[in-house]
């Protein structure tokens, strides 16, 4: 008789252990290590999904009489859903992420496994065209969403429910509302073969305009490539530091190609935002069916299919966003993380993993190299490279023969304002734009809003309201419970009523909200250049699925002359006819409240500047700033990463910030503000006592509580404690203890051992 040990997918801490089940004889052949099964669990024998972690013959040592063991109910998928390699990661991931085995399993196995075979979908259609048109014309429909739904159905005919909900930004309840009015019909049916196929290859992804030439590597690239190849078979982290356009991608592709030629497998991670249809298309062009590409436009079924091809070894290179680090790749020989600094590599929901940490774990388990690539590496990564923990590979020049670095000008906006140009578009930028337009070239204007709409700047001199202790911008908070708005430092908790703020630069007492929005900028451009077409890309214009690609596509096809946007447009996109880039409010970028803001500012400016002159025409970049003496701008203007690094690492050392100390967070969130205050005090007292008993050599420091940067979110209020210590693992120990000592129902706490993005 065979038995197996399983882990439950939906486990809680009490049930997070291996349970033993009997394998019925007719399933003996099929149930193996890594199988996904259903098992009866608990008194009610409710069916639960579980992962088989080991299979063995029954022996008495098990400590169960055979009659006490329950049978496996059914097998969900014919093939194992995780391999040995992934099984080995479950325990270390659990302890690192303070989550359950079930949480890990959920990250590794697509939710569609076991359900996807029934390719069913619901469709929505209009009951009567005449009636729908009449209702719309009558103006009787109150809900804008209802109007949208009807309009879309009239225009497009029957539509899959999911697609319709997304494009009309509607909810199921709203759909039901229309059905109850007898205007629409919702039906569920099997998808036809054609519908499934057409999902698999959406037309945008087979276009050939995004063909990517294969280049002979230049000397620098060749050297990097060789170093990586020499390390195949060994665990080694490489930091590939190369300016934008230096040909890093070409190096990744060549290394990946080499591994594939040798029969191995590759995980190639890129930020979600760069997985445009163009990228997907050239990856398919280059690797064909050997590649599985995981991007957000895939349906559940397509996601399952891609995943399935990986697990069966049909696809040997996986290209995808952070979640692809969990892919069921068997013979892993190389991991690549492109744009390693990108904040999307840190997951923002539980379990809050950092992709780099997991990649390093996998690198060790598979004994293979890991390439981290970036034009602006994280300070912590560069530090590791300086210390020799990572091997540094450098690409110092742009790869395309005729490509030159853009010419960067820092524009003093104080002067420009005095000269009457206003705070948006300076004289020099206007001149450059006029020249570009006369040659039918394009312009990108970049206006970052991250963080700064929530801070105040001095009306007289433009200096942000900084914390007197930490010299970072304080954040503006509207407390329901206090009539006055408060300025709070998210580092040390320093708090003052906004009315009492005094400018530390000019002693002014008048403050205003910082920055203007992309919308205002767009309006101004329309006024200044009435015959030029302007596209805007920001959170508001990219709510609809596909909007992002549509805007970029239109701009690439030169259907517009100016693209205005937030940080979304700064990354990775290649527009050969863009010759002028303006970074507006360059100094405001670093005004967000966490310690990584300078690093991000440098990155964003470098990325934005990197958009100029990617074709044959040299680019011009204008950094408009109220503080032209800000060293960060100087470094960014001269694209001098090393200088930036030196100043930043010195600051981090003084402030005891990563890599010198780990910085973690404990967040308490509750729907009731008074309750939050009371329980925050409890947690605060506990932390203070607990940490003061710890050995001094662990380096614990406690800060806060302060309100979370976004204090009120989805009906809950959140307070944050910051804890520093010498190691991330010490923070984990503290978190583990808190979890034991606080009832999660009364104290909904969440933890992060690497606060503030990736
Ligand atoms: P990065 O990833 O560093 O930003 P890419 O790999 O995208 O840079 O390369 C930038 C441009 O240079 C691309 O258009 C690419 O085709 C071209 N390129 C890359 N390597 C070479 C090479 N060895 N010779 C000529 N052109 C190259
Ligand atoms: Zn402070």
């Amino acid at each position: 008789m065979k038995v197996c040990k399983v882990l439950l997918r939906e486990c809680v801490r009490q049930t997070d252990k291996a349970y033993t089940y009997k394998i019925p004889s007719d399933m003996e052949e099929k149930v193996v290590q890594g199988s996904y099964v259903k098992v009866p669990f608990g008194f009610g024998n409710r069916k639960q999904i579980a992962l088989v972690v080991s299979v063995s013959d029954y022996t008495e040592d098990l400590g169960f009489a055979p009659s006490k063991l329950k049978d496996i109910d059914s097998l969900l998928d014919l093939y194992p859903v995780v391999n040995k390699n992934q099984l080995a990661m479950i325990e270390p991931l659990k302890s690192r992420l303070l989550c359950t085995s079930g949480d890990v399993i959920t990250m590794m196995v697509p939710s569609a496994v076991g359900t996807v075979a029934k390719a069913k979908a619901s469709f929505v259609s209009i009951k009567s065209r005449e009636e729908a048109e009449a209702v719309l014309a009558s103006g009787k429909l109150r809900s804008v969403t209802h109007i949208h739904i009807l309009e879309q159905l009239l225009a497009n005919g029957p539509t899959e429910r999911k697609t319709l909900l997304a494009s009309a930004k509607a909810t199921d309840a709203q759909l039901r509302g229309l059905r109850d009015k007898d205007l629409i019909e919702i039906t569920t049916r099997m998808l036809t073969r054609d519908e499934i196929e057409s999902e698999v290859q959406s037309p945008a992804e087979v276009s050939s305009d995004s063909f990517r030439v294969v280049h002979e590597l230049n000397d620098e690239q060749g050297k990097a490539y060789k170093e990586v190849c020499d390390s195949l078979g060994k665990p080694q982290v490489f930091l590939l530091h190369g300016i934008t356009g230096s040909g890093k991608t070409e190096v990744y592709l060549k290394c990946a190609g080499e591994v594939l030629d040798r029969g191995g497998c590759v995980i190639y991670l890129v930020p979600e935002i760069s997985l445009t249809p163009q990228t997907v298309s050239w990856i398919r062009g280059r690797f064909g069916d050997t590649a599985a590409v995981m991007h957000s436009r895939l349906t559940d079924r397509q996601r399952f299919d891609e995943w399935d091809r990986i697990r069966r070894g049909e696809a040997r290179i996986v290209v995808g966003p952070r979640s692809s680090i969990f892919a069921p790749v068997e013979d892993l020989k190389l991991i690549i993380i492109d744009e390693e600094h990108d904040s999307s590599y840190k997951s923002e929901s539980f379990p809050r993993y950092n992709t780099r940490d997991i990649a390093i774990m996998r690198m060790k388990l598979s004994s293979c190299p890991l390439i981290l690539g970036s034009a602006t590496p994280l300070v912590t990564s560069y530090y590791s490279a300086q210390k020799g923990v990572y091997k540094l590979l450098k690409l110092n020049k742009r790869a395309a023969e005729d490509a030159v670095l853009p010419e960067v000008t820092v524009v003093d906006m104080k002067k420009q304002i005095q000269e009457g140009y206003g705070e948006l578009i300076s004289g020099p930028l206007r001149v450059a734009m006029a020249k570009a337009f006369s040659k039918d070239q394009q312009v990108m204007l970049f206006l970052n809003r991250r963080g700064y709409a929530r801070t105040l700047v001095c009306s007289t001199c433009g200096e942000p309201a900084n914390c007197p202790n930490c010299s970072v911008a304080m954040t503006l908070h509207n407390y329901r419970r206090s009539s006055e708005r408060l300025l709070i430092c998210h580092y040390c908790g320093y708090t003052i009523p906004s009315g009492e703020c005094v400018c530390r630069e000019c002693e002014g007492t008048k403050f205003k909200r910082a920055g203007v929005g992309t919308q205002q900028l767009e309006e101004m451009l329309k006024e200044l250049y009435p015959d030029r077409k302007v596209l805007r890309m920001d959170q508001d214009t990219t709510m609809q699925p596909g909007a992002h690609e549509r805007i970029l596509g239109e701009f690439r096809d030169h259907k517009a002359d100016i693209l205005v946007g937030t940080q979304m447009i700064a990354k990775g996109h290649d527009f050969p006819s863009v010759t002028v880039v303006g970074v507006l409010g360059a100094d405001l970028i670093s005004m967000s409240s966490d310690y990584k803001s300078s690093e991000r500012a440098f990155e964003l400016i470098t990325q934005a500047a990197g958009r100029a002159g990617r074709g044959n025409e040299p680019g011009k970049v204008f950094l408009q700033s109220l503080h032209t003496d800000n060293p960060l701008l100087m470094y960014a203007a001269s694209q001098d990463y090393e200088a930036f690094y030196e100043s930043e690492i010195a600051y981090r050392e003084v402030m005891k910030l990563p890599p010198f100390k780990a910085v973690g967070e404990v967040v308490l969130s509750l729907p009731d503000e008074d309750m939050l205050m009371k329980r925050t005090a409890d947690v605060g007292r506990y932390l203070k006592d607990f940490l003061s008993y710890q050995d001094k050599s662990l380096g614990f420091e406690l800060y806060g509580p302060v309100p979370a940067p976004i204090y009120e979110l989805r009906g809950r209020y959140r307070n944050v404690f910051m804890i520093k210590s010498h190691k991330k693992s010490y923070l984990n120990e503290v978190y583990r203890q808190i979890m034991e000592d606080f009832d999660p129902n009364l104290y909904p706490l969440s933890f992060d051992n690497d606060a503030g993005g990736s």
Side-chain angles (χ1 to χ4, degrees), residues 165 249 314 359 387 448 496 583 609 695:
L165 290 183
T249 312
E314 265 173 45
K387 291 275 163 218
N448 186 59
I496 49 165
V583 181
D695 198 307

CSV table of all heavy atoms in Angstrom, one decimal, residues 165 249 314 359 387 448 496 583 609 695:
chain,number,residue,atom,x,y,z
A,165,LEU,N,-16.6,44.0,-18.5
A,165,LEU,CA,-16.5,44.6,-17.2
A,165,LEU,C,-15.2,45.5,-17.1
A,165,LEU,O,-15.3,46.6,-16.6
A,165,LEU,CB,-16.3,43.6,-16.1
A,165,LEU,CG,-17.6,42.7,-15.8
A,165,LEU,CD1,-17.3,41.8,-14.6
A,165,LEU,CD2,-18.8,43.6,-15.5
A,249,THR,N,20.7,44.2,-23.3
A,249,THR,CA,19.7,43.2,-23.8
A,249,THR,C,20.4,42.2,-24.7
A,249,THR,O,20.2,41.0,-24.6
A,249,THR,CB,18.6,43.9,-24.5
A,249,THR,OG1,18.1,45.0,-23.7
A,249,THR,CG2,17.4,42.9,-24.8
A,314,GLU,N,8.8,22.0,-22.7
A,314,GLU,CA,8.7,22.4,-24.1
A,314,GLU,C,9.3,23.8,-24.2
A,314,GLU,O,9.9,24.1,-25.2
A,314,GLU,CB,7.2,22.4,-24.5
A,314,GLU,CG,6.7,21.2,-25.1
A,314,GLU,CD,5.2,21.2,-25.3
A,314,GLU,OE1,4.7,22.3,-25.7
A,314,GLU,OE2,4.6,20.2,-25.0
A,359,ALA,N,15.6,35.0,-6.3
A,359,ALA,CA,16.5,34.6,-7.4
A,359,ALA,C,17.8,34.1,-6.9
A,359,ALA,O,18.3,33.1,-7.3
A,359,ALA,CB,16.7,35.8,-8.3
A,387,LYS,N,32.1,45.3,-3.0
A,387,LYS,CA,32.7,44.5,-2.0
A,387,LYS,C,33.1,43.1,-2.6
A,387,LYS,O,33.6,42.3,-1.9
A,387,LYS,CB,31.6,44.2,-0.9
A,387,LYS,CG,31.3,45.4,0.0
A,387,LYS,CD,32.3,45.6,1.1
A,387,LYS,CE,32.3,46.9,1.7
A,387,LYS,NZ,33.5,47.6,2.0
A,448,ASN,N,6.9,64.0,-13.1
A,448,ASN,CA,6.7,63.0,-12.1
A,448,ASN,C,5.8,63.5,-11.0
A,448,ASN,O,6.0,64.6,-10.5
A,448,ASN,CB,8.0,62.5,-11.6
A,448,ASN,CG,7.8,61.4,-10.6
A,448,ASN,OD1,7.3,60.4,-11.0
A,448,ASN,ND2,8.2,61.6,-9.4
A,496,ILE,N,4.2,68.5,12.8
A,496,ILE,CA,3.8,69.8,13.2
A,496,ILE,C,2.5,70.1,12.4
A,496,ILE,O,2.3,69.6,11.3
A,496,ILE,CB,4.8,70.9,12.8
A,496,ILE,CG1,5.3,70.8,11.4
A,496,ILE,CG2,5.9,71.0,13.9
A,496,ILE,CD1,6.1,72.0,10.9
A,583,VAL,N,12.4,67.1,-18.6
A,583,VAL,CA,12.0,66.6,-17.3
A,583,VAL,C,11.6,67.8,-16.5
A,583,VAL,O,12.4,68.6,-16.1
A,583,VAL,CB,13.2,65.8,-16.6
A,583,VAL,CG1,12.8,65.3,-15.3
A,583,VAL,CG2,13.7,64.7,-17.5
A,609,ALA,N,16.1,60.7,-19.6
A,609,ALA,CA,17.1,61.2,-20.5
A,609,ALA,C,17.4,60.2,-21.6
A,609,ALA,O,17.7,60.5,-22.8
A,609,ALA,CB,18.3,61.6,-19.8
A,695,ASP,N,19.7,41.6,22.7
A,695,ASP,CA,21.1,41.9,22.7
A,695,ASP,C,21.5,43.1,21.9
A,695,ASP,O,21.0,43.2,20.8
A,695,ASP,CB,21.8,40.6,22.2
A,695,ASP,CG,23.3,40.6,22.6
A,695,ASP,OD1,24.0,41.6,22.3
A,695,ASP,OD2,23.7,39.6,23.1
